[in-house]
Amino acid sequence: MCGIVGYIGDKPVADLLITGLRRLEYRGYDSAGLAVVGDEGLRVEKQKGKVSDLAEGFAEHDLVGTLGIGHTRWATHGVPNDVNAHPHTNSAGDFALVHNGIIENYGVLRKRLKEKGYTFVSDTDTEALVHLIDNVRAETNLPLEEAVRQALTQVIGTYGIAIVSAHDPNTLIAARKGSPLILGIGEGEYFIASDAAPLVEHTRQVVYLNDGEMVILHRESYEVKTVENVSLEKEVHELEWSLGQIEKDGYDHFMFKEIMEQPEALEDCMRGRVRPEENTIVLGGLIDVLERLRAARRIVIVACGTSWHAGLVGEYLIEQYAQVPVEVEYASEFRYRDPILGEGDVVIAISQSGETADTLAAVREAKRKGALVLGICNVVGSTIARETDAGVYLHAGPEIGVASTKAFTCQVCVLAMIALKLAENRSLTDAELAEGLRALHALPEKVREVLKVNEEVQRMAQVYRYASNFLYLGRGYNFPVALEGALKLKEISYIHAEGYPAAEMKHGPIALIDRFMPVVFIATRDRTYDKIVSNIEEVAARQGSVIAITDQGNGELDALCEYVLRIPSIEEFISPILTAIPLQLLSYHIAVMRGCDVDQPRNLAKSVTVE
């Protein structure tokens, strides 16, 4: 959450920072600001609202310089307003700081600094860090770089920070602990950013900073060291993203683009892994731990939000095919209940960004207790990818829309591949494995077929856009899809929606059903189909407005439902990948028709890097 971008080089920095902030805006969009160091010293512009508001606000001021930092905010401490926006400066106004994360001991620091005569003008925890750095510098007469390092040793909490000073127009300082930062290396220029999005149009060469590390950027060189002042040699990596992947490419919204990209995303996810001609699956990231994984006495999946829903599908997959007990935990609760873990347990952490704070904390807790920890992430080089013992990348490409779509379907695909790999030469015969591989191989084409329902879903959305409540119901593999469909609608249209196992409807939610309550059933012809039909009849008897997703060629539900969406038939174990897509489209079109900001829904952000 929140986005940082910084630059030092020979290019005019203001427009570069604004462009970078636009690419990071999915991380937070309550307010935005930038600080530029030039011939006139340090200039700061910041205000409530989106980056476009900031760009309009400072255009007439003509910020000139080739060194600067920018920030787009997701509020934690203090309401979104001009004063609480970043960057924050010290009292003298000679250095500026931007910050992601939470300073947990800011109250203690604030009290101590007030006693020393410092005045606070904002409600943020960040301002305590600014004044702390200023105080260390004043009391020790140290250079700013060293004052920053020493101040950070007094901080409890998480941070990704970047700092520029009017007194040193040739230096940019950055540091991280629990909030991601990437160093970009260009030709005669350097960048700092929360993720790769602002970097790809300038450089593909990056260095990933780890917790407790800081980097000092000069115009001709850079140095990475720990907060304990130990110099480090860091490996330079090459970004996989391209500029075209992070632009809308003619679509009105990133979310719609990413829904439509799912066939290609799944192809990339499976490329080189699903090998029907060899009757095997190859997961290179798991080769070194495969035997330990196969010997697991229990698998625990930890995740948040959409990734948690994918984990629920994974529970069905792994238990059915690998015959290993699986538990799915909210990462946000996992470490606070002293989980029982040890040798023989495997923890799988799922996170699109690979930076989700709660999931990362669960990873560290699991490692501390001796479990084998695997990661399923989309972002190469992310913290979870680097801190887990092994893992599998999604290769879904950048996902910019805050509401996850293609990452969900690729997460389910990866979990299906893991389940089949664990069952290979064990619980599955060669013929059964071949059937599973053929089903996976056929997925992209079947997803292309599903996407043809878009216009039909758009017409449905006209009818349901004014609904106040929705109920989503599914069974078995498609119960998690009901949860995911409800989440999508809540996230972007602000309509209250709940997902339930269909059989649980009778244990409470049925009381809500009347002719104004749309009820979405996932009713594919699987083992539970007859039971689902009974549930549909129960809703129809109470005049509920029923929408059903079922197989092509199935006309049995037409008399019971107001709308029936038909998708290609597919093997039950990967049906969630197909059934989720009409629900993504329904949420998208309803949100657009309600005038909602689809890509940047209120109060949300893409990468949840605070607890």
Side-chain angles (χ1 to χ4, degrees), residues 342-515:
E343 190 176 348
D345 291 325
V346 174
V347 172
I348 300 177
I350 308 176
S351 166
Q352 188 282 138
S353 67
E355 303 291 351
T356 309
D358 290 318
T359 309
L360 181 56
V363 164
R364 290 168 176 166
E365 178 70 6
K367 291 189 74 173
R368 187 181 71 80
K369 293 200 168 186
L372 172 67
V373 185
L374 311 179
I376 297 176
C377 302
N378 192 36
V379 179
V380 175
S382 58
T383 304
I384 289 174
R386 285 181 284 125
E387 292 201 12
T388 46
D389 298 308
V392 182
Y393 282 120
L394 302 182
H395 295 309
E399 189 177 66
I400 307 298
V402 167
S404 183
T405 52
K406 64 179 180 177
F408 172 77
T409 50
C410 286
Q411 285 167 350
V412 173
C413 185
V414 164
L415 288 162
M417 287 190 287
I418 290 173
L420 291 180
K421 186 63 182 178
L422 292 180
E424 186 180 302
N425 300 321
R426 297 174 74 195
S427 52
L428 285 183
T429 65
D430 287 349
E432 289 169 334
L433 178 60
E435 183 181 351
L437 295 178
R438 284 194 296 271
L440 285 171
H441 194 258
L443 256 178
E445 199 54 45
K446 295 211 172 188
V447 170
R448 290 186 178 94
E449 187 73 16
V450 173
L451 289 170
K452 293 178 182 178
V453 305
N454 177 56
E455 291 185 6
E456 188 176 356
V457 173
Q458 192 170 14
R459 290 192 293 271
M460 282 174 45
Q462 293 275 5
V463 175
Y464 292 109
R465 58 179 166 160
Y466 297 117
S468 300
N469 301 281
F470 264 76
L471 188 61
Y472 289 72
L473 300 172
R475 284 177 179 257
Y477 278 103
N478 283 302
F479 157 53
V481 176
L483 296 175
E484 175 62 11
L487 176 62
K488 284 292 152 286
L489 193 68
K490 282 183 280 196
E491 284 180 315
I492 63 170
S493 73
Y494 318 138
I495 295 173
H496 175 256
E498 295 296 334
Y500 267 85
E504 288 295 305
M505 175 187 64
K506 297 185 291 294
H507 298 281
I510 199 168
L512 300 173
I513 293 172
D514 59 23
R515 63 192 181 92

Side-chain angles (χ1 to χ4, degrees), residues 316-337:
Y316 286 85
L317 285 163
I318 294 170
E319 289 194 341
Q320 176 177 339
Y321 287 100
Q323 300 291 294
V324 179
V326 179
E327 299 172 15
V328 184
E329 300 263 6
Y330 282 112
S332 55
E333 291 292 321
F334 182 72
R335 69 180 177 132
Y336 290 109
R337 62 172 191 80

Side-chain angles (χ1 to χ4, degrees), residues 216-247:
I216 300 91
L217 307 177
H218 303 295
R219 293 191 181 273
E220 303 299 331
S221 64
Y222 69 91
E223 178 187 6
V224 181
K225 61 172 66 175
T226 69
V227 173
E228 288 74 32
N229 208 27
V230 177
S231 294
L232 301 170
E233 292 290 330
K234 299 286 288 185
E235 182 181 357
V236 177
H237 299 265
E238 185 164 343
L239 287 176
E240 293 186 355
W241 290 9
S242 67
L243 183 59
Q245 289 178 301
I246 61 170
E247 295 184 332

